[in-house]
Amino acid sequence: MTLSTPSNLADTQEHLRWQRYFGFSTDHKVIGLQYLVCGFLFYFIGGALAGALRTELLTPISDFMPREVYNEVLTMHGTIMIFLWIVPVVNGAFGNYLIPFYVGARDMAYPRLNAVAFWMIPPAGLLLISSYFLGGASQSGWTAYPPLSLSTAATGQVIWILSVLLLGGSSIFGAINFVATVLKMRRPGLKMMQLPMYCWAMLGTSILVLLSTPVLAGTLVLLSFDIVAHTGFFNPAMGGNAVVYQHLFWFYSHPAVYIMVLPAFGLVSEILPVHARKPLFGYTTMVYSIMAIVFLGLIVWAHHMFTSGTPPWMRLFFTIATSFIAVPTGIKFFNWLATLWGGSISLNTAVMFSCGFIVNFVFGGITGVALAQVPFDIHVHDTYFVVGHFHYIVYGGTVFVIFASMYHWYPKVVGRMLNEPLGQLHFWLTFIGLNLCFAPQHWLGLNGMPRRVAEYDPQFQFINQLSSAGALLMAVSTLPFLINVIWSAYRGAVAGDNPWNALTPEWLTSSPPPEHNWHGEAPLVHEPYGYGLKSPAAS
Amino acid sequence: MGTLQLTPRIITLFIGIALVLVGLWVGQNVNLLPVDASVNAPLYDQLFKVLFSIGTTLFIGIVGMVVYSLMRFRRRSGTVTEGAAVEGNLPLEILWTAIPAVVVLFVGIYSFDIYDRMGGMVPMHDHSMAGMETMHEPEASGPGQKTWAGISSVSVEGQPPVAAVPIEVTAMQFAFIFRYPEADIISGELHVPAGQPVSLRMTANDVIHAFWVPEFRLKQDIIPGQPTLLSFTATRPGSYPIVCAELCGAYHGGMRSTVIVEPPEEFANWVAKNSPVKATPASATLIS
Ligand code: HEM
Ligand SMILES: [Cu+2]
Ligand SMILES: [Cu+2]
């Protein structure tokens, strides 16, 4: 097929005009980048907030900011990182950019809905941040448990709810689009079991979004009634039930952790085979394990509530269901190891971050299985142990994959390579920083430090300072990354259409791709991972 | 030829055994926990050691495989070689479905056993009514009085069960208040006798709090509108922090108290000194 039509320069220039990125574009590639850049902006805000938290925790007393402000910062940090950084980037940014390529389409199924979904995010984010200046932001944590959320900073809490509702709506619109695109927009001749794994990951994730996000939305609407109209759904003082809120909240928010990590699983499955020059090991079991995770992910939520007065039978059921998630998750990890095994691995930054992801996620998965055991969790629930657990997963896992993806797809999107030495520096700073920041937190939790505190027992000061030092390293690590991204856009080596000799369809067009993705017909890729089977050009 | 084929397997076997040994050694010898001061703390520590051993083995094994693959199968820059075109291997995939399944099953059964020995499966008894000797099921006290499970007490192994000392805990922003209904004492610190079960009935006035004593390895949320129960038997005399573990407002980090575990005689003295009720039959049960 004629894939190597010389790229039409004028077309490319038109496509890259920066103004497009500030408007209501319906081009999936523009929308993907809008999600990405917007997500990174919020990431830096959320990161600055984390820096403030770690600064406060340098000393056992509350001396850096007022206690109320600490709780506001804590709430904003969590909310921004989850709803404005991880979820939009790992779903919206990469999903919108890649899925149409992968299914051989010229755009998403509903381009206008797609643009609407993105444009809900900046206002939601600004709304959230504005609450700080409108009488104080929410102080009840990203979990917003009543009755605390009913009795602190009412304006801030209502704005928080509105913002999360908008973001949830955006996520639902996005999910509808992904499901429709994967199921209905496939190029003729392309079968489901020939799709790149990221499509399956996004399909599974979108199912989770569609099943669970509406529950969160309904719950938050009721919570807002309790605040604004003084109804008593979750207010024990008015006959309501505070634990019911927790069930409803976690019915969304446990699946949410998979909404944050399944797409990352998908992205790693794209990156590793390319750089190991080997087919993705065990495609079929990968697909089934994604679907198993989706199913199990819906029935484990109460492992967040083992100390909430949960009866013994429920504690046991949720222990067992949660433990079993480790099985399909384990399959995926062994398959990635087998993909590496016997490969011809290029140790570039994309691979380093992907392998960093494997190492960190395995650590977080092991502590996760421990947390799933009721007798274990009763001691460490709501302590720094849990903070350590989920940062290994969300930062060490998903954020590492986002960085791996930046190094892998930047050449496609920008047309130039990122600088490798800067990339390696970025990786090592991040990896060491992460471990220094979050490993000691497990010890803190085991030994008596609860989470979400501005002041703590002085015996924990040194370990907290270690953790803060790790946080500082992580902050510093973004500098080489930022410099790299900006410098390489102008000075990076020209990438060419397919610098990695990859087989997935986004590489079978120019870098950056033209407005309608391919210059001619969309290629039909039956073997997206056929490394070693045939030459990349023939497809 | 036979030996040549076996060698990698034997090496793998040896590495596997070495990993398990390292895991066991780390699990047994690296202590990450504070002192144990309740009957269920040693049980917890036992579970912790097992999980720590398994976790260490798996973690080192997997990290080792990643690092080994990256070094062994590294492509030298400039060369363009393809890896082996292996797309899957069903027996292998079944194996690594089975291994985690077995591990997880073992962990689940083992931790269930620990939970049972901690008294987690014992039906909860609410002896909240001051001075009441009869125990009744939570349901028996009417829907408004429904109490929610925490964890039940276990008696010291090898000793006959003793009646639990009832204590009422009230949590509020930002303090715990302990009331001994039988002796009619109200205290800001929790005094408990060593070796004797204690039963806390906990209520919250405003928002959710949590009662946590790290040295007891026990935690239970205190939830407005639905009293929760927590029973334990302290073992090691000393004073330990009581920490609020649920975000409850600005001073959440400062919401702490102390539990003082005393030998029974000292506890009896404390009760006698502070109680306005003089040597009633009810307070006598406290001391027995
Ligand atoms: C092997 C799989 C995993 C298991 C068995 C597991 C288990 C658990 C358990 C039992 C808790 C509750 C701990 C507590 O609050 O006492 C927890 C908390 C958490 N986990 Fe995981 N987890 C796993 C993977 C993940 C993944 C993939 C993510 C996210 C991408 C994640 C994110 C979180 C978060 C955010 C929390 C804390 C939520 C909060 O209280 O704010 N976990 N995990
Ligand atoms: Cu969960
Ligand atoms: Cu508190």
Side-chain angles (χ1 to χ4, degrees), chain A residues 285 315 344-345 373 379 381, chain B residues 73 75 93 111 115 150 219:
Chain A
T285 43
R315 286 174 156 178
S344 171
I345 307 167
Q373 315 305 316
H379 175 45
H381 169 67
Chain B
F73 304 113
R75 186 191 334 156
E93 287 168 65
S111 76
Y115 185 54
K219 178 181 301 110

Side-chain angles (χ1 to χ4, degrees), chain A residues 60 443-444 447-448 456-463, chain B residues 215 241 256:
Chain A
W443 183 88
L444 287 174
N447 283 275
Y456 55 85
D457 191 329
Q459 63 157 319
F460 298 137
Q461 179 164 19
F462 176 67
I463 302 294
Chain B
E215 283 76 7
R256 303 164 69 90

Side-chain angles (χ1 to χ4, degrees), chain A residues 142 250 257 261 303-304 368 371 377 381 386 389-390 393 451:
Chain A
W142 82 281
W250 289 112
V257 308
V261 91
H303 64 217
H304 297 274
L371 285 172
D377 185 63
H381 169 67
V386 175
H389 157 70
F390 68 75
I393 298 270
R451 66 192 281 203

Side-chain angles (χ1 to χ4, degrees), chain A residues 125-136:
Chain A
L126 292 179
L127 191 64
L128 185 69
I129 291 169
S130 75
S131 68
Y132 180 80
F133 304 98
L134 301 174

Side-chain angles (χ1 to χ4, degrees), chain A residues 142-143 250 254 257-258 260-261 303-304 306 322 325-326 329 361 364-365 368-369 371-372 377 380-382 386 389-390 393-394 398 451-452:
Chain A
W142 82 281
T143 48
W250 289 112
H254 181 82
V257 308
Y258 286 98
M260 291 188 264
V261 91
H303 64 217
H304 297 274
F306 284 149
T322 306
I325 286 208
T329 311
F361 191 98
V369 172
L371 285 172
D377 185 63
V380 290
H381 169 67
D382 261 332
V386 175
H389 157 70
F390 68 75
I393 298 270
V394 183
T398 304
R451 66 192 281 203
R452 296 174 163 168

